[in-house]
Amino acid sequence: MAVVTITDDNFEEEVNSSEIPVLVDYWATWCGPCKMVGPLVEEISSEFSDKIKVGKLDVDANQASAARQNVMSIPTLLLFKEGQVVAQHVGTLSKNQLKELIEENL
């Protein structure tokens, strides 16, 4: 499954109404650490395609969604289940750390 672009307009449909857990990567084009996390998020979307949906939300273009989740620093990764945040990580992390975060909360 490809990484989904999440926006203020489709957040309800893509995240809150999803029948499977959703990992959302809150990022911005100017954010150096986000560029390190981005490829990991894309790899995870392939490896976990049967278990979760993966999306990216540009905080500059979608400030309402970022504010609603109190995202103050980026990169921030939030894992949603049934519209609720069940796990959160702020900052960079390794692929193994990301896999653990997901597996512990599925």
Side-chain angles (χ1 to χ4, degrees):
M1 181 185 297
V3 175
V4 178
T5 299
I6 297 175
T7 65
D8 288 342
D9 294 334
N10 72 4
F11 193 91
E12 178 66 33
E13 175 188 343
E14 294 290 350
V15 180
N16 293 337
S17 298
S18 178
E19 295 186 11
I20 60 173
V22 184
L23 177 70
V24 180
D25 175 14
Y26 291 80
W27 69 288
T29 55
W30 49 263
C31 168
C34 298
K35 292 176 185 169
M36 294 166 50
V37 171
L40 300 179
V41 169
E42 291 185 21
E43 288 176 34
I44 289 295
S45 72
S46 296
E47 291 180 30
F48 285 83
S49 62
D50 57 334
K51 296 180 183 158
I52 65 170
K53 180 191 295 188
V54 177
K56 292 178 73 71
L57 185 140
D58 182 334
V59 297
D60 288 335
N62 301 283
Q63 294 178 7
S65 294
R68 209 173 300 117
Q69 299 305 325
N70 296 316
V71 173
M72 301 293 177
S73 299
I74 53 173
T76 291
L77 298 169
L78 298 181
L79 184 63
F80 292 84
K81 263 176 132 170
E82 298 175 2
Q84 300 298 315
V85 176
V86 295
Q88 173 177 338
H89 182 87
V90 179
T92 60
L93 73 173
S94 70
K95 185 175 177 181
N96 284 338
Q97 289 172 312
L98 180 52
K99 287 171 91 167
E100 282 177 27
L101 178 84
I102 294 166
E103 289 168 348
E104 290 172 359
N105 293 285
L106 279 183

